[in-house]
């Protein structure tokens, strides 16, 4: 009997240790890397504190986020690193390399406060997925009265999104691919489709209603899709899927600004800008599906002018 009790206790201690060990692994995105970010880094390259590449008033997001010409703009915080390493990333310099200023959670909270005090329309967290827990910690320290925008590549952990429920007001999410083979090829993201479908449903549970007041989104979801050259079939399936999941009242942002960047030159089929006919095909499909809210970029936006300069010292 005594031996049995000792064995039971030992098994319990072993299980507890195993649980603590497993919990120390990062689960902030669906990759579930087997790393403790206090000691090393996983796929995204992020440590357990934030790194920020730029803080700016952003005027080129969707009008419901950036406001009009007379507004201060969206208070954008560009986080370094990314859990999607898209070969064509428009922010390649900050997503693929270890750059940016390190920042503890309390400092991040002060950035929120400073942006708010300087008239930002919202706090726009650009590529936040791998820092979701730091963002929650910072929002516990200081919660601005302006909307918190979660501006994500769409490869989020459903569990983390549930945790973000009371912290995020607007989900500005990409839906990049329908075909998982493309997600693997260009973003090294397995099961992208299954994951984004789950994420969209959770975002909708977190924010059941889209609320736009005086032309600015206060609560809700905007789904972005960047059309890739030679992949309009995939774009059409993405639009169909958005309608299936969220309906035709969804705020859609159809982006045609693709310019080959980063390692896109290694992939012949995406090593060019979009052709007018490709753009027209996807845009017509969007209209055919009956979406009534949203934004369509004109082809002229496909210029590097709209990529923030991460080299400047004016941050
Ligand atoms: S956030 Fe980074 S370290 Fe954590 S699971 Fe995702 S890729 Fe891995």
């Amino acid at each position: 009997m005594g031996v049995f009790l000792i064995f039971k206790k030992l098994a319990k201690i072993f299980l507890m240790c195993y649980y603590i060990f497993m919990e120390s692994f990062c689960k902030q995105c669906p990759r579930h890397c087997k790393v403790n970010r206090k000691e090393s880094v996983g796929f995204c390259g992020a440590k357990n504190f934030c790194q920020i590449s730029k803080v700016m008033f952003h005027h080129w997001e969707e009008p419901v986020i950036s406001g009009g010409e007379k507004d201060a703009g969206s208070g954008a915080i560009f986080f370094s690193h990314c859990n999607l390493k898209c070969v064509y990333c428009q922010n390649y310099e900050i997503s693929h390399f270890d750059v940016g200023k390190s920042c503890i959670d309390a400092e991040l909270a002060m950035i929120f406060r400073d942006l708010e005090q300087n008239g930002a329309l919202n706090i726009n967290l650009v590529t936040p997925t791998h820092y979701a827990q730091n963002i929650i910690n910072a929002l516990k320290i200081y919660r601005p009265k302006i909307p918190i925008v979660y501006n994500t590549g769409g490869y989020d952990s459903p569990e983390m999104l549930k945790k973000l429920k009371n912290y995020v007001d607007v989900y500005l999410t990409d839906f990049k691919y329908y075909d998982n083979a493309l997600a693997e090829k260009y973003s090294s993201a397995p099961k992208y489709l299954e994951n984004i479908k789950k994420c969209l449903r959770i975002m909708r549970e977190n924010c059941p209603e889209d609320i736009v007041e005086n032309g600015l989104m206060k609560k809700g979801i905007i789904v972005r899709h960047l059309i890739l050259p030679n992949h309009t079939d995939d774009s059409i399936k993405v639009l169909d899927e958005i309608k299936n999941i969220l309906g035709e009242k969804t705020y859609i942002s159809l982006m045609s600004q693709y310019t080959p960047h980063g390692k896109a030159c290694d992939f012949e089929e995406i090593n060019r800008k979009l052709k007018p006919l490709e753009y027209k095909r996807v845009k017509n499909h969007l209209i055919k599906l009956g979406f009534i809210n949203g934004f369509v970029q004109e082809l002229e936006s496909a210029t590097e002018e709209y990529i923030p300069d991460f080299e400047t010292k004016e941050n």
Side-chain angles (χ1 to χ4, degrees):
M1 188 67 177
V3 177
F4 177 70
L5 277 177
I6 291 169
F7 178 76
K8 212 171 145 189
K9 267 196 170 167
L10 282 174
K12 214 170 162 186
I13 292 167
F14 173 78
L15 275 177
M16 262 172 65
C17 293
Y18 178 73
Y19 181 73
I20 292 167
F21 179 65
M22 292 302 280
E23 274 304 290
S24 67
F25 290 161
C26 183
K27 296 191 187 77
Q28 292 195 56
C29 90
R31 296 191 189 275
H32 286 201
C33 298
K34 292 208 168 23
V35 295
N36 178 344
R37 281 171 48 183
K38 282 185 190 154
E39 289 153 11
S40 63
V41 296
F43 181 89
C44 62
K47 304 179 186 87
N48 68 331
F49 50 83
C50 294
Q51 269 173 270
I52 294 175
S53 291
K54 195 170 183 91
V55 177
M56 66 182 270
F57 289 95
H58 202 327
H59 297 277
W60 315 316
E61 302 281 34
E62 288 74 4
V64 287
I65 300 293
S66 278
E69 273 176 22
K70 287 186 186 145
D71 291 310
S74 170
I77 303 172
F78 287 85
F79 291 105
S80 307
H81 302 290
C82 185
N83 72 327
L84 285 170
K85 297 273 187 253
C86 304
V87 295
Y88 52 81
C89 180
Q90 310 291 288
N91 299 338
Y92 201 86
E93 297 81 359
I94 66 167
S95 60
H96 284 64
F97 301 110
D98 189 31
V99 294
K101 190 181 179 315
S102 303
C103 173
I104 59 167
D105 300 340
E107 288 173 310
L108 181 61
M110 291 308 104
I111 295 174
F112 296 162
R113 190 201 57 191
D114 288 350
L115 283 168
E116 181 184 41
Q117 286 180 351
N118 283 289
L121 298 173
N122 45 53
I123 302 296
N124 181 359
L125 305 163
V126 185
T127 324
T129 304
H130 47 298
Y131 293 128
Q133 189 55 56
N134 301 90
I135 288 165
I136 291 175
N137 299 344
L139 286 168
K140 281 181 184 164
I141 296 169
Y142 182 74
R143 176 69 210 246
K145 292 188 178 59
I146 50 179
I148 304 296
V149 180
Y150 193 78
N151 184 344
T152 169
Y155 200 49
D156 288 275
S157 142
E159 293 74 30
M160 275 317 289
L161 283 181
K162 284 181 191 164
K163 276 195 184 184
L164 284 161
K165 178 172 180 177
N166 296 317
Y167 298 97
V168 169
D169 300 293
V170 176
Y171 295 90
L172 177 55
T173 180
D174 287 340
F175 188 149
K176 290 177 184 291
Y177 314 100
Y178 185 88
D179 182 350
N180 279 338
L182 295 181
E184 290 257 17
K185 185 175 183 185
Y186 300 136
S187 301
S188 311
K191 298 192 179 164
Y192 182 91
L193 180 66
E194 291 78 358
N195 198 72
I196 184 73
K197 282 162 74 172
K198 271 189 215 160
C199 289
L200 286 182
R201 291 197 173 98
I202 295 167
M203 287 174 192
R204 187 41 94 209
E205 275 167 33
N206 288 359
C207 266
E209 224 188 322
D210 297 322
I211 302 175
V212 175
E213 286 170 9
N214 301 322
L216 295 172
M217 188 170 261
K218 303 290 177 190
K219 294 256 176 211
I221 308 174
I222 301 172
V223 187
R224 275 179 173 168
H225 176 69
L226 175 70
I227 312 166
L228 294 178
N230 276 312
H231 292 305
T232 53
D233 284 352
D234 199 66
S235 292
I236 281 170
K237 287 181 194 157
V238 165
L239 294 179
D240 289 343
E241 197 58 43
I242 297 170
K243 185 174 172 181
N244 279 345
I245 299 173
L246 296 175
E248 70 271 14
K249 286 188 185 156
T250 312
Y251 279 78
I252 295 264
S253 178
L254 190 61
M255 305 173 84
S256 60
Q257 71 181 51
Y258 179 85
T259 48
H261 206 67
K263 288 213 168 126
C265 54
D266 295 344
F267 300 82
E268 204 187 328
E269 71 281 9
I270 57 166
N271 193 23
R272 64 163 169 83
K273 291 185 183 179
L274 212 58
K275 288 181 182 166
L277 265 180
E278 291 176 314
Y279 166 67
K280 199 172 162 196
R281 183 174 179 231
V282 182
K283 188 170 140 185
N284 285 348
H285 192 71
L286 176 87
I287 294 164
K288 195 176 120 199
L289 287 175
F291 281 105
I292 52 171
N293 292 313
F295 314 93
V296 180
Q297 271 183 331
E298 293 306 322
L299 261 188
E300 296 77 58
S301 350
T303 154
E304 301 223 338
E305 194 188 317
Y306 293 102
I307 300 173
D309 180 4
F310 297 107
E311 298 295 318
T312 58
K313 301 251 182 297
E314 66 193 37
N315 291 352

